[in-house]
Amino acid sequence: MIKFLLIFYNFFSTKIENILFRRSVVKKNTLIKKGFEIIKLNKKLNISLSNKKEVSKNKYFKKYILKKEDLEKILNSLFVQNNLKEILEKKLGFKYNVNFVLAYKTFNIKKEDQKKGWYANHWHKDKAYSKNIIKLIIPLQKINAGDGGIQIYDKRNSRKQINKIKKKNKFVFKGTEKDLIIINPNECFHKAGNPKSKPRSQIMLQLNPSFNWTKDTTLYEKQFHLEPKFPLLKSIISRKEKLRWKN
C-alpha cells in the first residue's frame, strides 16, 4: 500500500509541477541526462560550523543549527553571487522554493555498525518526492578519496535494481569547497560515503519547483526537524516569501 502511494504521488506531483511551474523547454544537458552534475562555484561559502548549536542525532551523525542570518548568507551566496538562479533555470526550466537546509557532519562508521542506517549510508532513492526535486550539496572542506564523499549512480543505471548495477559505473565525489553537487535524488541511487578518518562536513538544500524563487518562512525552525516529505502537498499550506536578492 505504501509503495503504491509513493508511486502515485511521484507520478501526479511530477505531472502537476510540469504543467504549473515549468517555464521553458530545455535542451538536453548533463544534469538532465545523468541526473547529477558538479558545478564550480565562483565563491565558496564562508560558513563555519564550529560556533553553531550542535544537535547529535546518533553517534555517527551531528547536525548544526544555522542562524537566520547564516541562512540568508547562504542563499544570497549561492543564487546571486554564484549565479545559481540563472544556471538552474537554464538547465531545468524551473524556478524553485528552498524548502529545507541542513548543515551536518558525518563520522566513520565502525565495521560492526555498517549494516545499520545512520545517515543515508545505504543505497536509496528519495521516494516521497516528484521527479523534479533537486538537492544541492556543498562541502565545507576538501573531500579526498576516503573522506566519505557522496556516491551516485546516474539515471540510466538507476533504472536497474541496485544489485544489478556494475560498481565501476559508480560516481564518487572528490572536490573542494567550490564544487557544488546538484542531484535528482528521486531518480538516482545515492548514498553517503563512509569517511575513513576525519569527519565530513557539508550543507544540503532541498529545492522544489515553484511559481517564483521563494523560501519557506520556517526555514530556520525546520532545522530542528526531519527533512520534509511530500512537498507539493505541504506547499499548499506552508508560508513562503520571495527571495530577496542582494548583489
Side-chain angles (χ1 to χ4, degrees):
M1 183 64 178
I2 293 177
K3 183 178 180 181
F4 171 78
L5 288 175
L6 291 172
I7 294 172
F8 180 86
Y9 175 82
N10 176 264
F11 178 82
F12 282 101
S13 61
T14 301
K15 290 287 186 184
I16 292 169
E17 288 173 351
N18 287 339
I19 294 169
L20 293 180
F21 304 134
R22 191 180 288 279
R23 297 301 180 202
S24 60
V25 178
V26 296
K27 295 180 180 179
K28 281 201 171 182
N29 54 65
T30 299
L31 182 54
I32 288 179
K33 182 180 178 181
K34 297 180 68 175
F36 71 94
E37 187 174 357
I38 310 300
I39 300 292
K40 183 69 71 173
L41 299 176
N42 297 317
K43 298 180 180 180
K44 69 178 184 179
L45 292 183
N46 188 20
I47 296 290
S48 172
L49 302 184
S50 60
N51 59 346
K52 301 297 184 291
K53 181 177 180 180
E54 180 183 305
V55 180
S56 182
K57 301 297 292 181
N58 60 61
K59 59 185 177 180
Y60 298 121
F61 179 87
K62 292 181 181 178
K63 70 176 180 179
Y64 295 81
I65 306 303
L66 300 172
K67 297 177 181 178
K68 290 183 179 180
E69 52 264 38
D70 291 325
L71 294 170
E72 290 295 332
K73 184 178 178 181
I74 290 169
L75 297 182
N76 193 65
S77 175
L78 289 176
F79 297 110
V80 179
Q81 296 176 12
N82 283 289
N83 202 37
L84 199 57
K85 173 179 174 287
E86 284 75 19
I87 291 172
L88 291 176
E89 286 187 31
K90 184 177 180 180
K91 285 181 174 290
L92 298 172
F94 289 109
K95 296 181 180 180
Y96 290 91
N97 169 247
V98 182
N99 192 38
F100 188 68
V101 178
L102 176 66
Y104 59 99
K105 285 185 180 181
T106 58
F107 298 80
N108 174 258
I109 302 174
K110 295 180 180 179
K111 187 175 182 179
E112 60 268 25
D113 286 332
Q114 290 179 8
K115 289 185 178 181
K116 299 177 183 178
W118 298 96
Y119 48 72
N121 50 295
H122 295 156
W123 289 109
H124 67 286
K125 296 178 185 177
D126 295 5
K127 295 180 179 180
Y129 304 94
S130 78
K131 293 181 179 181
N132 296 317
I133 181 181
I134 57 171
K135 288 186 177 180
L136 312 180
I137 301 173
I138 309 101
L140 298 179
Q141 65 196 68
K142 185 176 182 181
I143 304 292
N144 296 309
D147 287 342
I150 187 172
Q151 301 178 20
I152 307 170
Y153 285 113
D154 65 19
K155 286 166 66 172
R156 183 177 61 83
N157 281 287
S158 294
R159 295 188 186 104
K160 306 173 186 176
Q161 294 181 357
I162 189 62
N163 59 356
K164 301 276 181 72
I165 306 175
K166 295 179 180 179
K167 291 183 178 181
K168 68 177 183 179
N169 294 328
K170 176 176 65 178
F171 168 82
V172 180
F173 174 76
K174 292 181 285 186
T176 71
E177 300 96 320
K178 285 191 173 183
D179 292 309
L180 176 142
I181 307 158
I182 307 172
I183 179 175
N184 179 328
N186 179 260
E187 295 197 278
C188 293
F189 276 118
H190 59 286
K191 71 173 183 175
N194 187 13
K196 291 183 178 179
S197 53
K198 63 182 180 181
R200 177 191 59 158
S201 302
Q202 58 188 32
I203 292 175
M204 181 277 288
L205 290 80
Q206 182 193 124
L207 275 64
N208 293 282
S210 178
F211 285 114
N212 296 294
W213 280 96
T214 59
K215 66 175 181 179
D216 273 35
T217 56
T218 57
L219 210 53
Y220 171 79
E221 291 79 6
K222 281 185 174 182
Q223 294 179 96
F224 294 91
H225 304 285
L226 294 175
E227 183 178 0
K229 301 181 186 300
F230 306 105
L232 183 62
L233 295 177
K234 293 181 178 179
S235 69
I236 299 171
I237 58 173
S238 66
R239 295 180 61 191
K240 306 180 188 68
E241 63 181 27
K242 287 187 177 181
L243 289 176
R244 301 184 185 94
W245 308 118
K246 298 178 183 178
N247 294 317

